Structures are given as C-alpha cells and as structure tokens.
C-alpha cells in the first residue's frame, strides 16, 4: 500500500495538477523553512496514550493556548502520531486473529502479487510480509518477471480467488507499462479486494445507504487517525486536496459519509488557498512538496498530510529528506492537530491492509 501512495503522488501522474495549483498559489516571500529539529517538535507535542483522547472541540474555553485552538506565535499543533496508532491497531488485530484461530481454526491469509523487480516495490512487499507475520496473518507471495503477460497475472489472481485459505489479494502497484491496471485489478474478487480498488467497492462507497466490502487503505487510515484523536467530523467543513482514485476521491466520500461538508481542490479550482482556509479538516494528497502553507490553514484545523515528497537536503546522509504536501513548520503553528511526514499516514496504510484482511476472513467465515 505504500506504493499506492507513491503512485498516487508521482510526478508523472500529477504534472497537470501540480502546474495548475502552483500557478494559483499565493505568492510566498520565502520558501518553507527547513525543520531544524523534528525530534524536538515530536517530543513537545507527543500525544497521550490512546485509544480515546478528548475531542478537540470539547476542550474547555478556559484551557491554556497550548491545549485549545487559540493560536499564538509559538503555538504548536498536537502531533497526530501515525506510528503510535498503527502500533495499537496491529496489537488489536493480533488479538482478534488469535481469537479466530482458537475458536474456529481459521487464520486470515493475504496474497501479494509482485510483477517486476522495482526496489521500492520489493521493499513494500517485504514490509507487508513482516507486518502479517507480526499479527499472525498468513502471507502468500507470487513474484513474476517484468515481461510477464497480463494473462499470467490474471491466472494467479484467479487461483487466489478460489483458494479458501486466502482472504485478501493485493496486486502491488505500479505494474509494468505494458499491462492494463484496470484489467488486472478488476480480476480480483470483490470479496477479497482488500486494497479497495475494485470499481464495485468504490461505487458502493459513493452510494447512500450502501457500504463497500473494503475501503481503500490510505483513506481508511486517514479517517482512523481522525477518529482516534477525537476530531469531530459531523457538521464540519472538510477540504480534500487532490482527486485521485486511490486517495483523494475515496477520502472525500468517507468524509461525506461521516457527515462533513466536503470540498475537493483540484487542477481547475480557483483560489484553492481561500477554499482550504475555510476547512476544519484538511486532507492533502496531491504530491507537491510544501504546497499548503501556513496561511492556507484555518486556526485550529486538523491536517492530514498524505504527501511523500523527496527534497534535496545536503545535510542528510541520503542527500534528501521526505516532506509532505503541507509546509509542516508553518502549518503546525496554526493548526490544532497535524500529521508529520514521515510518521503520519504512512504507517497507517499497512495497518489498514491488515485490518481489511482480518475483516474479510471474518465475513467469509461468518465469525464475530
């Protein structure tokens, strides 16, 4: 699923949106400042142990400025710690997997199909395998050469579709260029589509009174972070920056299902900063480093930053560092809560994949 984020935010797929949004940006006198000491910010704003902190809108009016939405020059937003939440989710899943195994002898199974030898994709698959092992989920893996045919990939999908020990199927993205992503993803049984990419799952997500079998993992992780940090969604104004099938659109649909009033900022949006500034909740998923500045943010807003963008950093051993779509140092002085990059949405994506796999096994075997 990490690859899904990177594919969603890749330069090649987002150039039109990048150009349009950058042309409409409020001119900035200075670039987004470097994060001089991210560890200091993390230490200062590390949340209390979850699962359920008080809701952000329930803080008493007499609370200090550090605890309320009041903004001052040295205010710092609460850090929405994706690593901590993902750890808790994995622990909860491990307990449920054990209960299921002990009660009915069934262990959830996740199958991953990897085509080609991209280093990043291999890393993502390896991380998913480790995550499965850590919570007791069985993992199945198929590695195919770069020049494999679509038919060969679909044959493996069909085999997993009919395998009762497999409850979730994931095709690692991106696929080689000669393959049609839609044909391959549509071959996955809707009841095992733990990535949530099948058009019937997305269609059910969009419909009133219907629920999909699975919600795409990254948007689901965004919503889980909001829920676990007690961010009120009902009746609030939300803005989603980006309208991809992988993150933006499903995130907007999930916010709408949670009774938020939702706007989507995209390549044809006029004055995106003004629209974003009205939002109580912002989900940024466009793949433009530091696009969203502090003056785009409504004081006290909750910011979920899905972007993962490498920027040059000669002080880093790698020569670069990862930043989000939101200028963290500026936004953290205005927002009420914000996810860091890395360490925010990223860890949640695999946790939600495990959650979807467990959910699939429970549904198939009618286990509660």
């Amino acid at each position: 699923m990490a690859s899904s984020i990177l594919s969603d935010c890749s330069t090649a797929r987002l150039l039109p949106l990048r150009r349009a949004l950058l042309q409409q940006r409020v001119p900035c006198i200075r670039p987004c400042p470097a994060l001089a000491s991210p560890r200091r910010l993390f230490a200062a704003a590390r949340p209390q142990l979850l699962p359920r902190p008080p809701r952000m809108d329930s803080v008493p009016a007499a609370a200090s400025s550090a605890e309320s939405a009041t903004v001052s020059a040295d205010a710092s937003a609460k850090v929405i710690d994706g690593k901590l939440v993902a750890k808790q989710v994995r622990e909860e899943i491990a307990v449920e997997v054990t209960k299921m195994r002990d009660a009915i002898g069934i262990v959830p199974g996740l199958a991953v199909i990897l085509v080609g030898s991209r280093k990043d994709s291999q890393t993502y698959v390896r991380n998913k395998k480790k995550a499965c092992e850590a919570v007791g989920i069985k993992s199945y893996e198929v590695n195919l050469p770069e020049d494999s045919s679509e038919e060969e990939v679909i044959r493996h999908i069909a085999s997993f579709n009919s395998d009762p020990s497999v409850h979730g199927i994931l095709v690692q993205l991106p696929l080689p260029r000669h393959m049609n992503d839609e044909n391959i993803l549509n071959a996955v049984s809707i009841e095992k589509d733990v990535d949530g990419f099948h058009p019937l799952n997305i269609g059910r997500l969009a419909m009133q009174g219907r629920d999909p079998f699975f919600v795409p993992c990254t948007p689901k992780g965004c919503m889980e972070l909001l829920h676990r940090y007690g961010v009120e969604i009902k009746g609030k104004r939300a803005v989603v920056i980006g309208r991809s099938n992988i993150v933006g659109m499903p995130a907007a649909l999930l916010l709408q299902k949670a009774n938020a009033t939702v706007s989507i900022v995209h390549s044809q949006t006029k004055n995106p900063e003004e629209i974003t500034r009205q939002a109580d909740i912002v989900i940024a998923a466009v793949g433009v480093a530091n696009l969203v500045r502090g003056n785009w943010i409504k004081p006290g807003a909750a910011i979920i930053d899905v972007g993962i963008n490498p920027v040059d950093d000669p002080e880093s051993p790698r020569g670069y560092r990862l930043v989000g779509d939101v200028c963290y140092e500026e936004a953290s002085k205005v927002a009420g809560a914000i996810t860091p990059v890395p360490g925010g949405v990223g860890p949640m994506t695999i946790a939600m994949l495990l959650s979807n796999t467990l959910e699939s096994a429970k549904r198939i075997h009618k286990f509660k």
Side-chain angles (χ1 to χ4, degrees):
M1 291 308 308
S3 68
S4 299
I5 300 177
L6 292 177
S7 299
D8 187 48
C9 298
S10 67
T11 301
R13 292 176 64 178
L14 288 166
L15 277 175
L17 182 54
R18 180 190 298 269
R19 282 197 299 268
L21 283 173
L22 289 177
Q23 288 169 359
Q24 297 179 49
R25 282 177 54 181
V26 176
C28 292
I29 298 174
R30 65 189 186 284
C32 178
L35 216 86
S37 180
R39 289 185 180 179
R40 174 180 59 79
L41 287 173
F42 266 70
R46 184 164 294 279
Q48 299 297 316
L49 288 177
L50 304 181
R52 294 290 175 185
R55 293 190 176 277
M56 288 173 58
D57 62 346
S58 66
V59 178
S64 68
S65 61
E67 296 171 332
S68 70
T70 304
V71 178
S72 64
D74 58 351
S76 182
K78 177 187 292 184
V79 174
I80 298 177
D81 190 337
K83 288 183 178 179
L84 179 61
V85 177
K87 180 176 181 290
Q88 291 182 327
V89 170
R90 291 194 303 269
E91 290 171 350
E92 293 164 7
I93 291 170
V95 170
E96 291 299 308
V97 168
T98 299
K99 285 182 181 177
M100 188 174 187
R101 183 196 63 205
D102 293 346
I104 61 174
I106 298 294
V107 176
L110 173 66
V112 179
I113 298 174
L114 173 63
V115 185
S117 55
R118 283 177 57 116
K119 296 298 182 184
D120 55 348
S121 292
Q122 290 175 336
T123 299
Y124 301 144
V125 169
R126 187 163 56 248
N127 289 342
K128 289 165 189 171
K129 185 175 182 179
K130 289 180 180 178
C132 285
E133 292 173 351
V135 300
I137 291 176
K138 288 182 181 178
S139 61
Y140 304 85
E141 186 179 334
V142 170
N143 294 294
L144 299 174
E146 182 86 15
D147 59 357
S148 298
S149 66
E150 280 188 27
E151 291 74 19
E152 187 173 359
V153 177
I154 290 173
R155 278 200 302 272
H156 283 285
I157 292 174
S159 176
F160 286 134
N161 280 340
S162 60
D163 187 341
S165 65
V166 172
H167 305 95
I169 303 170
L170 182 150
V171 180
Q172 184 67 40
L173 300 177
L175 289 165
R177 291 186 178 181
H178 68 277
M179 293 186 179
N180 184 306
D181 290 17
E182 184 176 354
N183 290 342
I184 290 174
L185 295 177
N186 287 357
V188 177
S189 166
I190 187 174
E191 294 185 350
K192 296 186 179 183
D193 172 40
V194 288
D195 245 344
F197 291 162
H198 195 287
L200 291 179
N201 271 322
I202 296 295
R204 292 174 68 92
L205 180 62
M207 297 178 69
Q208 293 287 342
R210 301 287 184 89
D211 290 313
F213 284 98
F214 305 102
V215 173
C217 298
T218 299
K220 183 177 180 180
C222 295
M223 297 298 291
E224 189 72 14
L225 289 173
L226 292 172
H227 289 310
R228 297 242 178 180
Y229 274 82
V231 176
E232 183 68 36
I233 301 174
K234 182 180 180 180
K236 300 298 182 179
R237 301 196 68 165
V239 165
V240 177
I241 304 176
R243 53 178 172 177
S244 70
N245 291 332
I246 294 172
V247 181
M249 288 304 297
L253 292 170
L254 286 168
L255 287 165
Q256 183 172 276
K257 276 187 176 288
N259 295 311
T261 300
V262 184
S263 299
I264 300 176
V265 169
H266 52 78
S267 60
Q268 303 302 311
T269 301
K270 306 298 183 184
N271 300 320
E273 68 283 351
E274 294 181 10
I275 295 172
T276 305
R277 202 177 296 124
Q278 299 173 29
D280 303 296
I281 300 166
V282 176
I283 295 180
V286 69
V288 180
N290 296 321
L291 172 72
V292 180
R293 309 303 293 257
N295 60 3
W296 287 42
I297 304 300
K298 177 181 179 179
I303 311 298
I304 305 294
D305 191 350
V306 182
I308 302 177
N309 310 290
V311 296
D312 293 338
D313 183 359
E315 296 183 3
S316 170
R318 298 178 294 181
Y320 70 92
R321 60 192 172 93
L322 297 176
V323 301
D325 293 347
V326 178
C327 180
Y328 185 88
E329 187 171 82
E330 291 182 4
S332 64
K333 294 176 181 177
V334 183
I338 188 169
T339 58
V341 175
V345 175
M348 293 298 296
T349 302
I350 290 182
M352 294 299 99
L353 174 65
L354 301 177
S355 174
N356 280 353
T357 303
L358 172 62
E359 182 182 330
S360 176
K362 285 184 170 182
R363 182 187 296 115
I364 290 172
H365 296 283
K366 297 180 174 59
F367 181 76
K368 305 217 174 165

